[in-house]
Amino acid sequence: MLGKGVVGGGGGTKAPKPSFVSYVRPEEIHTNEKEVTEKEVTLHLLPGEQLLCEASTVLKYVQEDSCQRGICGKLVCTDFKIAFLGDDESALDTDEIQFKNKVIGENDITLHCVDQIYGVFDEKKKTLFGQLKKYPEKLIIHCKDLRVFHFCLRYTKEEEVKRIVSGIIHHTLAPKLLKRLFLFSYATAVQNHTATDPKNHTVMFDTLEDWCWELERTKGSMKYKAVSVNEGYKVCERLPAYFVVPTPLSEENVSRFQGHGIPIWCWSCHNGCALLKMSALPKEQDDGILQIQKSFLDGIYRIIHRPPYEIVKTEDLSSNFLSLQDIQTAYCKFKQLFLIDNSTEFWDTDIKWFSLLESSSWLDIIRRCLKKAIEIIECLEAQNMNVLLLEENASDLCCLVSSLVQVMMDPHCRTRAGFQSLVQKEWIMGGHCFLDRCNHLRQSDKEEVPVFLLFLDCVWQLVHQYPPAFEFTETYLTVLSDSLYIPIFSTFFFNSPHQKDTNMHQRHLSLPLTQSKSSPKRGFFREETDHLIKNLLGKRISKLINSSDELQDNFREFYEGWHSKPTDYHGLLLPHVEGPEIKVWAQRYLRWIPEAQILGGGTVATMSKLLEMMEEVQSLQEKIEERHHRQEALQAEAPSLLRNSARLSSLFPFALLQRHSSKPVLPISGWKALGDEEDLAKREDEFVDLGDV
């Protein structure tokens, strides 16, 4: 999905035809007092999707700055999305088909993706919620994927303004019932037309055979067994129907406290050590019950801890690690750095951007997660110890840490099918509460806690540091993060397998798959082509200093010893966790900010240029061999990729290419003396902002 902004000119080449060709100044509409005629634009609906309300003569601002420009059209709200339909659909050039998202369009916002809604009253921005007594002249929508939309309602009929604003607020922010989610309407509409992807080798872990297969794959079947004691969810609705426990553990013990207090197998290491997790027993006040619980846990511990043959280290994630409140607070601060309304706001925050980034603590939380995974890996790999993760419900931080350990230690989890199977095993079957953590039902007593997004960000750090080790690219992770808010994938909309099975009655839609090619097996052109973007964005982040929470002595030797050796991309991976090595996931967080992008830059653009040159060389060689020396033929046959490369940016394939501005907005006076590379980056920003208006 690529933004359709106008590409800035420069470099002496002819600028491509703008995608937006029908600009309408608000003042022109007002002063000319002309009736705006609208062309009939088709609203594309998914199966089961219904139109709820709409408003005509709405302006979607391309830039909310002193020089406001936009395109006129219709704003609609369905039970699946908010959509803006521009009047001039002919402005779409043929290249857009190449980048178009198959589910939602560039101007579509799924209802679950709406984060905050603001109204502008007499140039004052206010948060909108509930019933309104007065309706705004402008509507600003902040999205969870960090897009920002501005709509002018000044020229819309009053009754339509009331209808569309009230409808959007109600259908995005009001509490919902689970059965009223669009997911169920869509599932009903397509249940007889669902096709499976023959290339999808994801293990679903919803049968006993799937778990037995995983045990065999990891060579854990000698010490652990798959059990069906919870088949039909008769023991615990929180656990999956099938899971794996230590072989000596009886089914009676599994059932005794409804699945609490038992070690559940996650993964086995090549040396026979295993990663386990356990949920806490219910808190009791009665001394007699407490004594029974203690005796039960002592018995369980004797099963898994049998020195010198089996040694277990317990890691209590509830007491000496992150809290969900830490994650929620950090991300709320962090995301505000990227919800930028206009160029002026971007440059105003640029001066203090690093201090705001540091104060959010988001990068430090990522570092702590990776560090915790390394600590556990050291126990498994170097000390030959089993590790038991403890958490109240074993469904948040346990999912995060156990998944990271497996991505680092198991190369199968770094393939696309293996990664999807990992998410299915540890997050879906592991009972992560996606419905609550994403707050899909907009419950007032719940706040969104992006635990899964934190996991994806941690994985991105690994992909960024070791791209040849992964079968998928960062784009796959970005698409996966967006899929959290698209209610056609049942994967991310339930709290447990039981809740999903009860409500869906069938295995319908699973993880969304992308069709992007596998990443190259070598670091091809990476350092060279990413040089400029690293200097633009990395200069800020490189100022990060080592955290006071230094690597502990008991595994420093393991950590430094691994990094002193050549990297085996098919073996263990340990990320660099020192200060500047933890970076901002630019593609996800900066993709809608044109000032943070390099037009025609980045890895994909460089590769595209190289392919163009190779095509041209090949074409010339063929013509020489055929002895065709007609100059006009050589000039007429430009490679096809050359026409597309102008749409590429450093954050391809997600890009809002440019805000429209008639002058540079870079506050030169606010910048300190810069070095050569930074000065080049600054001048590039000025050139980029001078687009065709």
PDB file of all heavy atoms in Angstrom, residues 491-523:
ATOM      1  N   THR A 491      -7.478 -14.936  13.973  1.00  0.00           N
ATOM      2  CA  THR A 491      -6.283 -15.195  14.769  1.00  0.00           C
ATOM      3  C   THR A 491      -6.148 -14.245  15.948  1.00  0.00           C
ATOM      4  O   THR A 491      -5.826 -14.668  17.062  1.00  0.00           O
ATOM      5  CB  THR A 491      -5.031 -15.067  13.870  1.00  0.00           C
ATOM      6  OG1 THR A 491      -5.200 -15.905  12.747  1.00  0.00           O
ATOM      7  CG2 THR A 491      -3.787 -15.475  14.632  1.00  0.00           C
ATOM      8  N   PHE A 492      -6.380 -12.970  15.729  1.00  0.00           N
ATOM      9  CA  PHE A 492      -6.042 -11.957  16.729  1.00  0.00           C
ATOM     10  C   PHE A 492      -7.263 -11.328  17.390  1.00  0.00           C
ATOM     11  O   PHE A 492      -7.189 -10.183  17.848  1.00  0.00           O
ATOM     12  CB  PHE A 492      -5.199 -10.860  16.075  1.00  0.00           C
ATOM     13  CG  PHE A 492      -3.926 -11.366  15.456  1.00  0.00           C
ATOM     14  CD1 PHE A 492      -3.622 -11.078  14.136  1.00  0.00           C
ATOM     15  CD2 PHE A 492      -3.038 -12.130  16.189  1.00  0.00           C
ATOM     16  CE1 PHE A 492      -2.449 -11.545  13.562  1.00  0.00           C
ATOM     17  CE2 PHE A 492      -1.863 -12.600  15.624  1.00  0.00           C
ATOM     18  CZ  PHE A 492      -1.565 -12.308  14.311  1.00  0.00           C
ATOM     19  N   PHE A 493      -8.354 -12.048  17.483  1.00  0.00           N
ATOM     20  CA  PHE A 493      -9.564 -11.434  18.023  1.00  0.00           C
ATOM     21  C   PHE A 493     -10.221 -12.243  19.143  1.00  0.00           C
ATOM     22  O   PHE A 493     -11.388 -12.018  19.457  1.00  0.00           O
ATOM     23  CB  PHE A 493     -10.570 -11.173  16.893  1.00  0.00           C
ATOM     24  CG  PHE A 493     -10.290  -9.889  16.162  1.00  0.00           C
ATOM     25  CD1 PHE A 493      -9.302  -9.832  15.195  1.00  0.00           C
ATOM     26  CD2 PHE A 493     -10.966  -8.727  16.472  1.00  0.00           C
ATOM     27  CE1 PHE A 493      -9.009  -8.657  14.538  1.00  0.00           C
ATOM     28  CE2 PHE A 493     -10.694  -7.543  15.826  1.00  0.00           C
ATOM     29  CZ  PHE A 493      -9.706  -7.491  14.853  1.00  0.00           C
ATOM     30  N   PHE A 494      -9.459 -13.142  19.764  1.00  0.00           N
ATOM     31  CA  PHE A 494     -10.010 -13.921  20.867  1.00  0.00           C
ATOM     32  C   PHE A 494      -9.001 -14.022  22.006  1.00  0.00           C
ATOM     33  O   PHE A 494      -7.807 -13.802  21.817  1.00  0.00           O
ATOM     34  CB  PHE A 494     -10.422 -15.319  20.388  1.00  0.00           C
ATOM     35  CG  PHE A 494     -11.532 -15.301  19.384  1.00  0.00           C
ATOM     36  CD1 PHE A 494     -11.271 -15.436  18.028  1.00  0.00           C
ATOM     37  CD2 PHE A 494     -12.843 -15.129  19.794  1.00  0.00           C
ATOM     38  CE1 PHE A 494     -12.298 -15.407  17.094  1.00  0.00           C
ATOM     39  CE2 PHE A 494     -13.880 -15.089  18.871  1.00  0.00           C
ATOM     40  CZ  PHE A 494     -13.606 -15.225  17.518  1.00  0.00           C
ATOM     41  N   ASN A 495      -9.511 -14.347  23.179  1.00  0.00           N
ATOM     42  CA  ASN A 495      -8.668 -14.458  24.369  1.00  0.00           C
ATOM     43  C   ASN A 495      -8.118 -15.860  24.596  1.00  0.00           C
ATOM     44  O   ASN A 495      -7.193 -16.029  25.391  1.00  0.00           O
ATOM     45  CB  ASN A 495      -9.448 -14.034  25.611  1.00  0.00           C
ATOM     46  CG  ASN A 495      -9.595 -12.523  25.710  1.00  0.00           C
ATOM     47  OD1 ASN A 495      -8.800 -11.769  25.155  1.00  0.00           O
ATOM     48  ND2 ASN A 495     -10.618 -12.075  26.424  1.00  0.00           N
ATOM     49  N   SER A 496      -8.698 -16.847  23.949  1.00  0.00           N
ATOM     50  CA  SER A 496      -8.275 -18.228  24.176  1.00  0.00           C
ATOM     51  C   SER A 496      -8.793 -19.111  23.050  1.00  0.00           C
ATOM     52  O   SER A 496      -9.743 -18.744  22.342  1.00  0.00           O
ATOM     53  CB  SER A 496      -8.820 -18.739  25.514  1.00  0.00           C
ATOM     54  OG  SER A 496     -10.235 -18.827  25.467  1.00  0.00           O
ATOM     55  N   PRO A 497      -8.189 -20.283  22.873  1.00  0.00           N
ATOM     56  CA  PRO A 497      -8.718 -21.226  21.875  1.00  0.00           C
ATOM     57  C   PRO A 497     -10.164 -21.616  22.166  1.00  0.00           C
ATOM     58  O   PRO A 497     -10.964 -21.793  21.238  1.00  0.00           O
ATOM     59  CB  PRO A 497      -7.780 -22.435  21.995  1.00  0.00           C
ATOM     60  CG  PRO A 497      -6.529 -21.900  22.592  1.00  0.00           C
ATOM     61  CD  PRO A 497      -6.943 -20.789  23.488  1.00  0.00           C
ATOM     62  N   HIS A 498     -10.505 -21.742  23.448  1.00  0.00           N
ATOM     63  CA  HIS A 498     -11.882 -22.096  23.805  1.00  0.00           C
ATOM     64  C   HIS A 498     -12.854 -21.029  23.339  1.00  0.00           C
ATOM     65  O   HIS A 498     -13.912 -21.331  22.764  1.00  0.00           O
ATOM     66  CB  HIS A 498     -11.999 -22.287  25.320  1.00  0.00           C
ATOM     67  CG  HIS A 498     -13.412 -22.414  25.797  1.00  0.00           C
ATOM     68  ND1 HIS A 498     -14.131 -21.331  26.293  1.00  0.00           N
ATOM     69  CD2 HIS A 498     -14.255 -23.470  25.845  1.00  0.00           C
ATOM     70  CE1 HIS A 498     -15.346 -21.736  26.625  1.00  0.00           C
ATOM     71  NE2 HIS A 498     -15.445 -23.028  26.368  1.00  0.00           N
ATOM     72  N   GLN A 499     -12.525 -19.766  23.572  1.00  0.00           N
ATOM     73  CA  GLN A 499     -13.407 -18.676  23.152  1.00  0.00           C
ATOM     74  C   GLN A 499     -13.564 -18.648  21.638  1.00  0.00           C
ATOM     75  O   GLN A 499     -14.662 -18.436  21.118  1.00  0.00           O
ATOM     76  CB  GLN A 499     -12.865 -17.339  23.651  1.00  0.00           C
ATOM     77  CG  GLN A 499     -13.808 -16.168  23.405  1.00  0.00           C
ATOM     78  CD  GLN A 499     -13.201 -14.849  23.818  1.00  0.00           C
ATOM     79  OE1 GLN A 499     -12.061 -14.533  23.482  1.00  0.00           O
ATOM     80  NE2 GLN A 499     -13.958 -14.059  24.562  1.00  0.00           N
ATOM     81  N   LYS A 500     -12.468 -18.896  20.933  1.00  0.00           N
ATOM     82  CA  LYS A 500     -12.538 -18.917  19.476  1.00  0.00           C
ATOM     83  C   LYS A 500     -13.381 -20.083  18.976  1.00  0.00           C
ATOM     84  O   LYS A 500     -14.260 -19.905  18.126  1.00  0.00           O
ATOM     85  CB  LYS A 500     -11.123 -18.997  18.901  1.00  0.00           C
ATOM     86  CG  LYS A 500     -11.090 -19.070  17.381  1.00  0.00           C
ATOM     87  CD  LYS A 500      -9.665 -19.172  16.866  1.00  0.00           C
ATOM     88  CE  LYS A 500      -9.635 -19.344  15.356  1.00  0.00           C
ATOM     89  NZ  LYS A 500      -8.258 -19.441  14.826  1.00  0.00           N
ATOM     90  N   ASP A 501     -13.134 -21.279  19.509  1.00  0.00           N
ATOM     91  CA  ASP A 501     -13.876 -22.456  19.050  1.00  0.00           C
ATOM     92  C   ASP A 501     -15.359 -22.334  19.370  1.00  0.00           C
ATOM     93  O   ASP A 501     -16.215 -22.737  18.575  1.00  0.00           O
ATOM     94  CB  ASP A 501     -13.311 -23.720  19.702  1.00  0.00           C
ATOM     95  CG  ASP A 501     -11.926 -24.056  19.168  1.00  0.00           C
ATOM     96  OD1 ASP A 501     -11.517 -23.450  18.160  1.00  0.00           O
ATOM     97  OD2 ASP A 501     -11.252 -24.908  19.773  1.00  0.00           O
ATOM     98  N   THR A 502     -15.660 -21.764  20.528  1.00  0.00           N
ATOM     99  CA  THR A 502     -17.056 -21.625  20.931  1.00  0.00           C
ATOM    100  C   THR A 502     -17.813 -20.675  20.023  1.00  0.00           C
ATOM    101  O   THR A 502     -18.976 -20.901  19.695  1.00  0.00           O
ATOM    102  CB  THR A 502     -17.141 -21.122  22.386  1.00  0.00           C
ATOM    103  OG1 THR A 502     -16.461 -22.041  23.240  1.00  0.00           O
ATOM    104  CG2 THR A 502     -18.592 -20.989  22.826  1.00  0.00           C
ATOM    105  N   ASN A 503     -17.137 -19.609  19.596  1.00  0.00           N
ATOM    106  CA  ASN A 503     -17.821 -18.577  18.823  1.00  0.00           C
ATOM    107  C   ASN A 503     -17.726 -18.764  17.314  1.00  0.00           C
ATOM    108  O   ASN A 503     -18.624 -18.350  16.587  1.00  0.00           O
ATOM    109  CB  ASN A 503     -17.257 -17.197  19.196  1.00  0.00           C
ATOM    110  CG  ASN A 503     -17.695 -16.748  20.572  1.00  0.00           C
ATOM    111  OD1 ASN A 503     -18.791 -16.236  20.746  1.00  0.00           O
ATOM    112  ND2 ASN A 503     -16.845 -16.946  21.560  1.00  0.00           N
ATOM    113  N   MET A 504     -16.653 -19.388  16.834  1.00  0.00           N
ATOM    114  CA  MET A 504     -16.471 -19.526  15.391  1.00  0.00           C
ATOM    115  C   MET A 504     -16.980 -20.869  14.870  1.00  0.00           C
ATOM    116  O   MET A 504     -17.311 -20.995  13.693  1.00  0.00           O
ATOM    117  CB  MET A 504     -14.996 -19.369  15.028  1.00  0.00           C
ATOM    118  CG  MET A 504     -14.416 -17.996  15.352  1.00  0.00           C
ATOM    119  SD  MET A 504     -15.219 -16.637  14.485  1.00  0.00           S
ATOM    120  CE  MET A 504     -14.710 -16.947  12.806  1.00  0.00           C
ATOM    121  N   HIS A 505     -16.978 -21.932  15.725  1.00  0.00           N
ATOM    122  CA  HIS A 505     -17.473 -23.276  15.359  1.00  0.00           C
ATOM    123  C   HIS A 505     -16.675 -23.938  14.251  1.00  0.00           C
ATOM    124  O   HIS A 505     -17.073 -24.966  13.717  1.00  0.00           O
ATOM    125  CB  HIS A 505     -18.942 -23.229  14.954  1.00  0.00           C
ATOM    126  CG  HIS A 505     -19.832 -22.678  16.025  1.00  0.00           C
ATOM    127  ND1 HIS A 505     -20.024 -23.289  17.243  1.00  0.00           N
ATOM    128  CD2 HIS A 505     -20.566 -21.526  16.057  1.00  0.00           C
ATOM    129  CE1 HIS A 505     -20.859 -22.574  17.968  1.00  0.00           C
ATOM    130  NE2 HIS A 505     -21.189 -21.498  17.287  1.00  0.00           N
ATOM    131  N   GLN A 506     -15.583 -23.304  13.824  1.00  0.00           N
ATOM    132  CA  GLN A 506     -14.788 -23.922  12.769  1.00  0.00           C
ATOM    133  C   GLN A 506     -13.447 -23.218  12.700  1.00  0.00           C
ATOM    134  O   GLN A 506     -13.276 -22.122  13.192  1.00  0.00           O
ATOM    135  CB  GLN A 506     -15.469 -23.801  11.401  1.00  0.00           C
ATOM    136  CG  GLN A 506     -15.710 -22.343  10.975  1.00  0.00           C
ATOM    137  CD  GLN A 506     -16.309 -22.266   9.601  1.00  0.00           C
ATOM    138  OE1 GLN A 506     -16.011 -23.079   8.745  1.00  0.00           O
ATOM    139  NE2 GLN A 506     -17.149 -21.279   9.367  1.00  0.00           N
ATOM    140  N   ARG A 507     -12.497 -23.869  12.097  1.00  0.00           N
ATOM    141  CA  ARG A 507     -11.196 -23.252  11.869  1.00  0.00           C
ATOM    142  C   ARG A 507     -11.300 -22.488  10.566  1.00  0.00           C
ATOM    143  O   ARG A 507     -11.228 -23.048   9.483  1.00  0.00           O
ATOM    144  CB  ARG A 507     -10.128 -24.341  11.769  1.00  0.00           C
ATOM    145  CG  ARG A 507      -8.750 -23.848  12.113  1.00  0.00           C
ATOM    146  CD  ARG A 507      -7.798 -25.000  12.244  1.00  0.00           C
ATOM    147  NE  ARG A 507      -7.450 -25.569  10.950  1.00  0.00           N
ATOM    148  CZ  ARG A 507      -6.685 -26.636  10.800  1.00  0.00           C
ATOM    149  NH1 ARG A 507      -6.211 -27.252  11.847  1.00  0.00           N
ATOM    150  NH2 ARG A 507      -6.399 -27.102   9.599  1.00  0.00           N
ATOM    151  N   HIS A 508     -11.461 -21.180  10.660  1.00  0.00           N
ATOM    152  CA  HIS A 508     -11.841 -20.414   9.467  1.00  0.00           C
ATOM    153  C   HIS A 508     -10.661 -19.697   8.822  1.00  0.00           C
ATOM    154  O   HIS A 508     -10.178 -20.095   7.784  1.00  0.00           O
ATOM    155  CB  HIS A 508     -12.925 -19.412   9.847  1.00  0.00           C
ATOM    156  CG  HIS A 508     -13.407 -18.605   8.692  1.00  0.00           C
ATOM    157  ND1 HIS A 508     -14.079 -19.172   7.637  1.00  0.00           N
ATOM    158  CD2 HIS A 508     -13.277 -17.293   8.402  1.00  0.00           C
ATOM    159  CE1 HIS A 508     -14.369 -18.216   6.756  1.00  0.00           C
ATOM    160  NE2 HIS A 508     -13.879 -17.071   7.204  1.00  0.00           N
ATOM    161  N   LEU A 509     -10.209 -18.636   9.430  1.00  0.00           N
ATOM    162  CA  LEU A 509      -9.108 -17.876   8.863  1.00  0.00           C
ATOM    163  C   LEU A 509      -7.966 -17.828   9.855  1.00  0.00           C
ATOM    164  O   LEU A 509      -8.178 -17.633  11.043  1.00  0.00           O
ATOM    165  CB  LEU A 509      -9.547 -16.437   8.532  1.00  0.00           C
ATOM    166  CG  LEU A 509     -10.510 -16.304   7.365  1.00  0.00           C
ATOM    167  CD1 LEU A 509     -11.004 -14.877   7.274  1.00  0.00           C
ATOM    168  CD2 LEU A 509      -9.851 -16.702   6.064  1.00  0.00           C
ATOM    169  N   SER A 510      -6.786 -18.007   9.371  1.00  0.00           N
ATOM    170  CA  SER A 510      -5.631 -18.009  10.254  1.00  0.00           C
ATOM    171  C   SER A 510      -4.754 -16.809   9.958  1.00  0.00           C
ATOM    172  O   SER A 510      -5.212 -15.789   9.464  1.00  0.00           O
ATOM    173  CB  SER A 510      -4.855 -19.311  10.085  1.00  0.00           C
ATOM    174  OG  SER A 510      -3.808 -19.397  11.017  1.00  0.00           O
ATOM    175  N   LEU A 511      -3.464 -16.934  10.258  1.00  0.00           N
ATOM    176  CA  LEU A 511      -2.539 -15.832  10.087  1.00  0.00           C
ATOM    177  C   LEU A 511      -2.545 -15.336   8.652  1.00  0.00           C
ATOM    178  O   LEU A 511      -2.504 -16.129   7.718  1.00  0.00           O
ATOM    179  CB  LEU A 511      -1.122 -16.268  10.458  1.00  0.00           C
ATOM    180  CG  LEU A 511      -0.810 -16.382  11.934  1.00  0.00           C
ATOM    181  CD1 LEU A 511       0.540 -17.056  12.097  1.00  0.00           C
ATOM    182  CD2 LEU A 511      -0.780 -15.017  12.591  1.00  0.00           C
ATOM    183  N   PRO A 512      -2.589 -14.006   8.448  1.00  0.00           N
ATOM    184  CA  PRO A 512      -2.514 -13.467   7.094  1.00  0.00           C
ATOM    185  C   PRO A 512      -1.136 -13.720   6.514  1.00  0.00           C
ATOM    186  O   PRO A 512      -0.130 -13.523   7.169  1.00  0.00           O
ATOM    187  CB  PRO A 512      -2.747 -11.963   7.304  1.00  0.00           C
ATOM    188  CG  PRO A 512      -2.325 -11.715   8.704  1.00  0.00           C
ATOM    189  CD  PRO A 512      -2.655 -12.969   9.466  1.00  0.00           C
ATOM    190  N   LEU A 513      -1.121 -14.185   5.265  1.00  0.00           N
ATOM    191  CA  LEU A 513       0.144 -14.491   4.617  1.00  0.00           C
ATOM    192  C   LEU A 513       0.485 -13.405   3.617  1.00  0.00           C
ATOM    193  O   LEU A 513      -0.387 -12.881   2.926  1.00  0.00           O
ATOM    194  CB  LEU A 513       0.060 -15.835   3.879  1.00  0.00           C
ATOM    195  CG  LEU A 513      -0.206 -17.048   4.751  1.00  0.00           C
ATOM    196  CD1 LEU A 513      -0.306 -18.276   3.870  1.00  0.00           C
ATOM    197  CD2 LEU A 513       0.899 -17.226   5.776  1.00  0.00           C
ATOM    198  N   THR A 514       1.751 -13.059   3.533  1.00  0.00           N
ATOM    199  CA  THR A 514       2.211 -12.159   2.486  1.00  0.00           C
ATOM    200  C   THR A 514       2.912 -12.977   1.427  1.00  0.00           C
ATOM    201  O   THR A 514       3.411 -14.059   1.684  1.00  0.00           O
ATOM    202  CB  THR A 514       3.188 -11.119   3.047  1.00  0.00           C
ATOM    203  OG1 THR A 514       4.267 -11.814   3.678  1.00  0.00           O
ATOM    204  CG2 THR A 514       2.505 -10.211   4.049  1.00  0.00           C
ATOM    205  N   GLN A 515       2.949 -12.438   0.240  1.00  0.00           N
ATOM    206  CA  GLN A 515       3.557 -13.157  -0.880  1.00  0.00           C
ATOM    207  C   GLN A 515       4.909 -12.577  -1.255  1.00  0.00           C
ATOM    208  O   GLN A 515       5.383 -12.764  -2.353  1.00  0.00           O
ATOM    209  CB  GLN A 515       2.608 -13.079  -2.091  1.00  0.00           C
ATOM    210  CG  GLN A 515       1.260 -13.719  -1.831  1.00  0.00           C
ATOM    211  CD  GLN A 515       1.379 -15.182  -1.478  1.00  0.00           C
ATOM    212  OE1 GLN A 515       2.200 -15.897  -2.037  1.00  0.00           O
ATOM    213  NE2 GLN A 515       0.569 -15.648  -0.545  1.00  0.00           N
ATOM    214  N   SER A 516       5.523 -11.832  -0.327  1.00  0.00           N
ATOM    215  CA  SER A 516       6.833 -11.262  -0.619  1.00  0.00           C
ATOM    216  C   SER A 516       7.874 -12.362  -0.707  1.00  0.00           C
ATOM    217  O   SER A 516       7.746 -13.402  -0.082  1.00  0.00           O
ATOM    218  CB  SER A 516       7.225 -10.257   0.469  1.00  0.00           C
ATOM    219  OG  SER A 516       7.262 -10.900   1.721  1.00  0.00           O
ATOM    220  N   LYS A 517       8.910 -12.116  -1.503  1.00  0.00           N
ATOM    221  CA  LYS A 517       9.955 -13.106  -1.691  1.00  0.00           C
ATOM    222  C   LYS A 517      10.798 -13.214  -0.436  1.00  0.00           C
ATOM    223  O   LYS A 517      10.881 -12.310   0.365  1.00  0.00           O
ATOM    224  CB  LYS A 517      10.835 -12.705  -2.883  1.00  0.00           C
ATOM    225  CG  LYS A 517      10.085 -12.733  -4.212  1.00  0.00           C
ATOM    226  CD  LYS A 517      11.014 -12.372  -5.347  1.00  0.00           C
ATOM    227  CE  LYS A 517      10.279 -12.411  -6.682  1.00  0.00           C
ATOM    228  NZ  LYS A 517      11.165 -12.021  -7.797  1.00  0.00           N
ATOM    229  N   SER A 518      11.460 -14.339  -0.289  1.00  0.00           N
ATOM    230  CA  SER A 518      12.336 -14.547   0.845  1.00  0.00           C
ATOM    231  C   SER A 518      13.499 -13.565   0.781  1.00  0.00           C
ATOM    232  O   SER A 518      13.926 -13.136  -0.278  1.00  0.00           O
ATOM    233  CB  SER A 518      12.885 -15.979   0.844  1.00  0.00           C
ATOM    234  OG  SER A 518      11.838 -16.911   0.892  1.00  0.00           O
ATOM    235  N   SER A 519      13.983 -13.213   1.970  1.00  0.00           N
ATOM    236  CA  SER A 519      15.138 -12.329   2.030  1.00  0.00           C
ATOM    237  C   SER A 519      16.361 -13.055   1.497  1.00  0.00           C
ATOM    238  O   SER A 519      16.454 -14.267   1.582  1.00  0.00           O
ATOM    239  CB  SER A 519      15.381 -11.886   3.468  1.00  0.00           C
ATOM    240  OG  SER A 519      15.608 -13.013   4.283  1.00  0.00           O
ATOM    241  N   PRO A 520      17.309 -12.327   0.922  1.00  0.00           N
ATOM    242  CA  PRO A 520      18.516 -12.971   0.408  1.00  0.00           C
ATOM    243  C   PRO A 520      19.294 -13.632   1.523  1.00  0.00           C
ATOM    244  O   PRO A 520      19.251 -13.214   2.662  1.00  0.00           O
ATOM    245  CB  PRO A 520      19.294 -11.803  -0.212  1.00  0.00           C
ATOM    246  CG  PRO A 520      18.754 -10.589   0.450  1.00  0.00           C
ATOM    247  CD  PRO A 520      17.309 -10.884   0.733  1.00  0.00           C
ATOM    248  N   LYS A 521      20.034 -14.667   1.177  1.00  0.00           N
ATOM    249  CA  LYS A 521      20.782 -15.422   2.173  1.00  0.00           C
ATOM    250  C   LYS A 521      22.096 -14.750   2.541  1.00  0.00           C
ATOM    251  O   LYS A 521      22.798 -15.200   3.416  1.00  0.00           O
ATOM    252  CB  LYS A 521      21.060 -16.839   1.649  1.00  0.00           C
ATOM    253  CG  LYS A 521      19.779 -17.650   1.487  1.00  0.00           C
ATOM    254  CD  LYS A 521      19.012 -17.750   2.794  1.00  0.00           C
ATOM    255  CE  LYS A 521      17.725 -18.525   2.628  1.00  0.00           C
ATOM    256  NZ  LYS A 521      16.945 -18.558   3.856  1.00  0.00           N
ATOM    257  N   ARG A 522      22.428 -13.672   1.864  1.00  0.00           N
ATOM    258  CA  ARG A 522      23.615 -12.923   2.223  1.00  0.00           C
ATOM    259  C   ARG A 522      23.234 -11.463   2.399  1.00  0.00           C
ATOM    260  O   ARG A 522      22.210 -11.017   1.925  1.00  0.00           O
ATOM    261  CB  ARG A 522      24.689 -13.049   1.135  1.00  0.00           C
ATOM    262  CG  ARG A 522      25.152 -14.484   0.904  1.00  0.00           C
ATOM    263  CD  ARG A 522      26.272 -14.533  -0.116  1.00  0.00           C
ATOM    264  NE  ARG A 522      26.656 -15.913  -0.372  1.00  0.00           N
ATOM    265  CZ  ARG A 522      27.557 -16.568   0.327  1.00  0.00           C
ATOM    266  NH1 ARG A 522      28.159 -15.975   1.344  1.00  0.00           N
ATOM    267  NH2 ARG A 522      27.867 -17.808   0.040  1.00  0.00           N
ATOM    268  N   GLY A 523      24.062 -10.721   3.104  1.00  0.00           N
ATOM    269  CA  GLY A 523      23.767  -9.315   3.351  1.00  0.00           C
ATOM    270  C   GLY A 523      24.023  -8.479   2.110  1.00  0.00           C
ATOM    271  O   GLY A 523      24.873  -7.592   2.115  1.00  0.00           O
TER     272      GLY A 523
END
